[in-house]
Amino acid sequence: MSKQYLQDQILLAAEKATGIKIEAKNLTLEKPKQAAHGDWATSIALSLAKELKAKPRDIAQNIVDSLELDASLVAKTEIAGPGFINFTLTSDWLYKELTGLLSQGSKYGQSQMGPSTLLGVPKKAQVEFVSSNPTGPLNVGHGRQAAIGDSLCRLLEATGYQVTREYYFNNAGLQMKKLAQSVFLRYQEILGKKIDFPEDLYQGEYIKEIAGNCRREKGDSLTEADLEYFKQSAVAVIFEEIKATLKRMGIVFDVFYNESDLYQRGEIESTLQALKGQGLTYESEGAVWFKATQFGAEKDRVLVRSTGEPTYRLPDIAYHLTKFKRGFDLVIDVFGSDHQATFPDVLAALGALGFDPSRIDVRIHQFVTLMRGGEQVKMSTRKANFVTLDELFDEVGADAARYFFLMRRMESHLDFDLDLAKKKSDENPVFYVQYAHARICSILEHAKEKGVVRAAGDLLLLKEPEEIKLIKSLLEFPELVQGAAQSREPHRIPTYLQELAGIFHNFYHQHRVVTEDQALSNARLDLCQATRTVIANGLGLLGVSAPEKM
């Protein structure tokens, strides 16, 4: 992998030339905007100029003089402009790497970044995502989180981790009581009683449907004493719908961890006692408080209400303690922005109890706004006052939904353009990438029909600028995957695929693949096959299909 190799060599040379040890994160290595400036460029000399009180070009020259580069990989190193160092890769390296790509096929892009060196045992990672209360259908916000979480899992697996996909099933606490009460009151309405339905209970047709199911199953004699039955009935129906929705998205969880198990196993009480034992709690106004201000919070937090009901924080702390006990090396929590104020308290409590909170990587995503015709879509026609994820799938399909959810950084608000997601044209990003894959499949099929006998092509025949540019783009994929996994940024994949599809389409429009020259045809067919492989592998990391026909 050329970028990693160059980064390592530049850091070594810079320390040798200047005596300054530079952190890898502080080294910038980017693709120049102009092809004439090489394949990679670094501005390290400019960043060191102030500290060394020297001219950037002089620093650059010293670094270049200290470089010990593999001549089979780097053809040329030169200093440009105010002090940039540009690197040009050898053609032989490009062809060798392209041959490796073709031989690896569906495994291309995978690495062993994650495994432990101890007996080759993979590191264990747990990714918690969605974890929606079973109080209603999944909405588009849950959909974005589902796409992000599952793509992170795929990236971690591609880099060697053993991954557990986990859904924290909130089947206890205040919201469950509200759900049971909601269904009971709708049941009362079905029986003909006049009910003043409180605004803070769960609205929506789905509650009425569940109440109707309860009546058909148990008749007209149920009372408020049967709230547990109403709760269990509602949870069973809603959770099956949640799992069905996730299945439409191609997501299957390994573990559904029940919040109620924390109570039954005494985890909640033992966690509370452990916090008390560390002197991190106190009682006031009948409630139990966590001393969050000791850890930088603006105010202390309630752990147990005066009613005896725990707030979210206490079960969350207890739940995360189980993650440590289960031996995960890495824990990633994907949360919506409504968790922004909660998770710091959980991490602080874990640290106070002697666990390493740095093993938990919390990722917060922002909201989704659906747009149609330039206007915000606010209401669902069927359920409650939100658009369900199933409704979105019905309109644009699961592929488009997943791709659009992942196109932007998770920290950015997402405007989801429904009109664009349905277009069958190059304007639609997911269509554009999938069409590149389908076009390649069509080219390969056309070659068969023309009687072209595929053989390993002489890749040295690929010398046109469009061909070289395409090869270089393909060879960026492994480092892209590794970088996306390390930074927890799945949006890097669609950004790359968009650019790759454009480079391929340009190559296709400039050059015939199947020609009278059998050797050149085979070389170009190999290039097409390599492109098909990378697009399919990239879409796979997003959980998006790679169709052969469109």
Side-chain angles (χ1 to χ4, degrees):
M1 296 198 287
S2 62
K3 185 176 182 181
Q4 186 62 57
Y5 172 79
L6 284 173
Q7 285 177 328
D8 293 342
Q9 296 305 310
I10 293 168
L11 290 172
L12 287 172
E15 184 176 358
K16 182 178 179 182
T18 67
I20 298 174
K21 186 172 181 61
I22 301 163
E23 296 289 333
K25 64 182 180 181
N26 295 325
L27 173 65
T28 301
L29 190 62
E30 298 176 333
K31 291 191 297 181
K33 293 181 179 179
Q34 297 181 28
H37 293 164
D39 298 303
W40 294 104
T42 179
S43 60
I44 187 172
L46 282 78
S47 64
L48 289 172
K50 185 176 181 180
E51 184 174 356
L52 293 174
K53 297 179 181 179
K55 294 179 180 179
R57 285 187 67 93
D58 292 341
I59 298 171
Q61 187 63 60
N62 290 335
I63 293 174
V64 169
D65 291 343
S66 300
L67 281 167
E68 297 179 7
L69 298 174
D70 185 345
S72 67
L73 172 61
V74 183
K76 182 171 65 173
T77 304
E78 60 182 357
I79 300 168
F84 292 101
I85 305 175
N86 297 338
F87 302 89
T88 301
L89 304 179
T90 65
S91 297
D92 288 346
W93 179 81
L94 293 177
Y95 299 132
K96 177 184 175 182
E97 291 296 304
L98 182 58
T99 300
L101 188 168
L102 288 164
S103 66
Q104 291 178 57
S106 62
K107 293 186 180 299
Y108 186 69
Q110 297 180 13
S111 68
Q112 296 299 305
M113 180 185 76
S116 166
T117 56
L118 181 62
L119 302 178
V121 177
K123 287 185 179 179
K124 293 170 61 179
Q126 184 238 38
V127 183
E128 181 203 340
F129 58 108
V130 185
S131 296
S132 171
N133 290 345
T135 53
L138 296 180
N139 59 39
V140 294
H142 299 130
R144 187 181 194 190
Q145 184 174 143
I148 291 169
D150 190 54
S151 188
L152 284 175
C153 291
R154 291 166 185 259
L155 285 166
L156 290 174
E157 288 168 337
T159 50
Y161 280 92
Q162 179 183 323
V163 179
T164 296
R165 291 165 170 81
E166 187 152 317
Y167 187 122
Y168 180 52
F169 187 39
N170 299 92
N171 61 346
L174 182 60
Q175 298 308 313
M176 293 296 98
K177 291 181 178 180
K178 287 187 175 183
L179 177 65
Q181 190 69 21
S182 302
V183 178
F184 169 67
L185 292 180
R186 293 304 187 194
Y187 171 82
Q188 294 280 82
E189 283 184 339
I190 292 172
L191 296 181
K193 297 182 180 180
K194 186 174 178 57
I195 300 294
D196 184 13
F197 201 87
E199 290 185 3
D200 66 335
L201 295 187
Y202 291 99
Q203 314 288 325
E205 291 299 315
Y206 69 98
I207 296 294
K208 296 178 182 178
E209 292 169 7
I210 294 169
N213 291 339
C214 291
R215 186 190 185 193
R216 285 187 290 274
E217 186 176 272
K218 293 290 187 177
D220 300 347
S221 60
L222 295 173
T223 68
E224 196 162 7
D226 298 301
L227 283 178
E228 182 62 24
Y229 164 76
F230 285 110
K231 184 186 87 169
Q232 295 298 337
S233 297
V235 168
V237 170
I238 294 170
F239 201 58
E240 284 306 309
E241 288 186 359
I242 287 173
K243 288 194 285 188
T245 301
L246 291 169
K247 188 175 181 180
R248 287 184 71 181
M249 208 173 179
I251 298 174
V252 178
F253 282 88
D254 301 301
V255 174
F256 290 100
Y257 196 102
N258 293 333
E259 181 185 358
S260 59
D261 288 347
L262 295 172
Y263 290 87
Q264 293 169 8
R265 296 170 184 166
E267 301 280 1
I268 301 293
E269 183 59 29
S270 65
T271 298
L272 181 59
Q273 293 306 318
L275 291 170
K276 287 182 177 180
Q278 294 293 322
L280 297 173
T281 66
Y282 63 90
E283 293 187 19
S284 177
E285 301 175 351
V288 179
W289 295 71
F290 174 59
K291 296 179 180 179
T293 50
Q294 287 190 10
F295 305 96
E298 292 184 3
K299 58 182 181 179
D300 292 336
R301 313 294 188 184
V302 175
L303 288 178
V304 182
R305 300 181 181 92
S306 58
T307 60
E309 188 79 36
T311 63
Y312 278 122
R313 284 176 175 80
L314 182 55
D316 282 353
I317 296 167
Y319 170 50
H320 279 77
L321 286 174
T322 74
K323 297 185 182 188
F324 284 105
K325 293 173 183 176
R326 285 182 279 162
F328 292 113
D329 301 291
L330 170 66
V331 170
I332 298 178
D333 291 337
V334 185
F335 294 145
S337 56
D338 55 335
H339 280 69
Q340 190 77 46
T342 305
F343 78 85
D345 300 333
V346 175
L347 297 182
L350 293 171
L353 292 175
F355 295 90
D356 181 6
S358 68
R359 285 164 54 190
I360 299 178
D361 187 356
V362 178
R363 294 286 156 165
I364 301 290
H365 71 86
Q366 294 300 316
F367 294 109
V368 179
T369 299
L370 295 180
M371 307 295 290
R372 181 184 285 114
E375 299 291 332
Q376 182 177 343
V377 178
K378 294 183 179 179
M379 299 294 289
S380 165
T381 57
R382 292 194 293 120
K383 298 179 180 180
N385 61 346
F386 55 85
V387 177
T388 70
L389 194 50
D390 279 312
E391 288 172 321
L392 180 64
F393 292 161
D394 291 342
E395 183 162 352
V396 306
D399 272 353
R402 284 192 69 139
Y403 195 96
F404 273 59
F405 282 141
L406 293 166
M407 284 197 306
R408 302 285 178 264
R409 297 177 65 93
M410 68 178 80
E411 297 87 357
S412 301
H413 181 90
L414 176 65
D415 285 335
F416 192 117
D417 189 333
L418 293 166
D419 298 322
L420 180 61
K422 291 187 291 184
K423 282 188 176 181
K424 306 296 182 184
S425 72
D426 290 352
E427 295 177 73
N428 181 348
V430 65
F431 181 91
Y432 187 63
V433 173
Q434 288 182 317
Y435 183 65
H437 184 272
R439 170 172 271 173
I440 294 170
C441 293
S442 176
I443 292 169
L444 297 175
E445 188 62 31
H446 172 70
K448 286 183 183 179
E449 293 172 357
K450 287 291 185 180
V452 176
V453 180
R454 284 287 310 281
D458 182 359
L459 301 180
L460 294 176
L461 297 173
L462 302 172
K463 296 183 179 297
E464 297 292 340
E466 293 80 12
E467 295 168 334
I468 297 300
K469 185 175 183 180
L470 181 54
I471 294 171
K472 288 179 177 179
S473 182
L474 293 171
L475 299 184
E476 292 173 18
F477 185 63
E479 285 174 332
L480 172 86
V481 173
Q482 190 171 104
Q486 287 176 323
S487 62
R488 322 287 191 240
E489 293 182 330
H491 74 274
R492 294 188 186 189
I493 305 298
T495 299
Y496 165 81
L497 291 176
Q498 206 73 21
E499 181 180 342
L500 175 62
I503 294 171
F504 170 76
H505 287 308
N506 183 55
F507 154 75
Y508 173 78
H509 289 305
Q510 295 289 332
H511 304 285
R512 287 183 60 195
V513 175
V514 179
T515 70
E516 297 301 320
D517 186 333
Q518 175 75 39
L520 180 60
S521 296
N522 276 330
R524 286 181 173 167
L525 286 169
D526 275 347
L527 182 57
C528 287
Q529 178 59 43
T531 307
R532 175 189 178 184
T533 294
V534 171
I535 291 175
N537 292 358
L539 288 172
L541 292 171
L542 305 178
V544 175
S545 69
E548 296 187 4
K549 294 182 180 180
M550 291 182 70

